[in-house]
């Protein structure tokens, strides 16, 4: 396998988990590194942003951030291969599938738990997530689709999901409209991050990635055991598949090119097209496998269908 071709797919492979064999056919032959396409529809980017924020609640119980083993980023569809564990599928279904909260609030987004307007169907050997009437699709693969259906049936019994609605409910539509108008959930940041989620994983056995909005329209990105700072700044910054994020300030304990301070690492990124800051922290928990963690996962898998 020519080393030159491997180099052209290296950063995309690191960011998405795709194989060189799968990517080789996409090389253009002009010796340019293979890039990561952006979502071609605003609705696709909106859906990816909403899914990303919802699934950040999962935490980090495996080496795969958000339980995502591999990302295949297409312009019109995103395919995510999840870890083949029932507890991961349960977390995704529970955090994503919409239901009414019965909460009285002036903020429409508080009235819907999960992703407003999200519906699913079995397709292509996986579970297709979509929104009625919109060109937005995310295909979940890597597990038995029947797991998702069983879990959704139980969640519907417990919570009363909105999946029986063929169209949007008025409450969901209001929540979606509020999200689109809000500066705090920018698809321009979150959709590209989901398409590069593997870039936030370190080499350890546990990787958690979280993101949330902060004061003044800025955004926070946090990893429990992320990669070395030089690698992250290449993959999200000025690397061939990066986002062009600029470093405004950095302080870390990696053995790299800048001063050490504290136990973790922090980087303040500036997204140049919007002027928004992304404040990144790598907590460096350094977690390891233990019998207790294995027992926890075994119990979570047992409870996934309960």
């Amino acid at each position: 396998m020519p080393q030159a071709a491997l180099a052209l797919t290296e950063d995309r492979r690191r960011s998405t988990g795709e194989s060189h064999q799968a990517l080789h056919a996409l090389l253009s032959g002009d010796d340019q590194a293979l890039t990561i396409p952006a979502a071609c529809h605003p609705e696709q980017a909106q859906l990816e942003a909403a899914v990303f924020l919802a699934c950040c609640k999962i935490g980090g119980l495996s080496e795969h951030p958000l339980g995502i083993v591999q990302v295949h980023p297409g312009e019109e569809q995103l395919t995510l291969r999840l870890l083949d564990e029932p507890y991961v599928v349960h977390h995704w279904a529970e955090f994503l599938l919409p239901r009414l909260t019965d909460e009285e609030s002036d903020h429409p987004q508080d009235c819907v738990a999960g992703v407003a307007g999200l519906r699913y169907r079995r397709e292509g050997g996986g579970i297709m997530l979509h929104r009625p009437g919109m060109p937005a699709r995310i295909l979940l693969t890597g597990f038995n689709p029947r797991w998702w259906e069983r879990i959704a049936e139980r969640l519907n019994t417990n919570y009363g999901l909105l999946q029986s609605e063929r169209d949007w409910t008025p409450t969901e539509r209001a929540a979606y409209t509020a999200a689109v108008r809000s500066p705090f959930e920018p698809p321009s940041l979150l959709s590209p991050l989901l398409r590069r989620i593997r870039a936030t994983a370190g080499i350890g056995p546990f990787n958690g990635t979280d993101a949330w909005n902060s004061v003044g329209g800025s955004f926070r990105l946090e990893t429990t055991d992320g990669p070395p700072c030089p690698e992250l700044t290449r993959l999200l910054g000025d690397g061939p598949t990066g986002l062009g994020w600029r470093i405004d300030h950095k302080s870390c304990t990696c053995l790299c090119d800048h001063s050490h301070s504290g136990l973790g690492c922090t980087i303040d990124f500036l997204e140049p097209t919007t002027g928004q800051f992304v404040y990144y922290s790598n907590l460096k928990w350094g977690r390891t496998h233990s019998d207790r963690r294995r027992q926890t996962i075994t119990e979570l898998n047992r409870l996934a269908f309960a």
Side-chain angles (χ1 to χ4, degrees), residues 28 42 44-45 57 62 70 84 98 116 134 155 195 216 219 226 229 242 278:
S28 61
Q44 179 70 32
K57 301 180 181 71
S62 77
Q70 186 183 87
D84 190 18
M134 289 188 171
L155 291 173
R195 288 170 172 250
F219 219 80
C229 290
V278 179

Side-chain angles (χ1 to χ4, degrees), residues 166-232:
R166 300 191 60 170
D167 203 352
W168 295 70
T169 64
T171 306
E172 288 179 289
R173 181 65 74 176
Y176 171 80
T177 301
V180 170
R181 294 174 176 173
S182 171
F184 300 118
E185 299 180 6
S188 61
L189 294 180
L190 299 176
S191 171
L193 272 176
L194 181 59
R195 288 170 172 250
R196 294 163 172 79
I197 192 63
R198 300 292 314 174
T200 67
I203 62 173
F206 300 102
N207 283 288
T209 299
D210 198 0
W212 65 95
N213 58 66
S214 185
V215 178
S218 60
F219 219 80
R220 292 201 171 272
L221 177 65
E222 182 178 273
T223 58
T224 58
D225 299 274
C229 290
E231 182 176 323
L232 185 78

Side-chain angles (χ1 to χ4, degrees), residues 58-62 83 85-88 90-91 206 287-305:
I58 288 175
L61 290 177
S62 77
L83 184 63
E85 295 272 14
Y87 81 90
V88 172
H90 182 277
H91 283 336
F206 300 102
R287 296 172 297 171
T288 58
H289 281 295
S290 67
D291 289 341
R292 183 175 180 180
R293 291 191 182 277
R294 294 186 182 94
Q295 291 169 2
T296 297
I297 292 174
T298 299
E299 182 66 8
L300 288 173
N301 282 334
R302 185 186 69 80
L303 293 173
F305 304 112

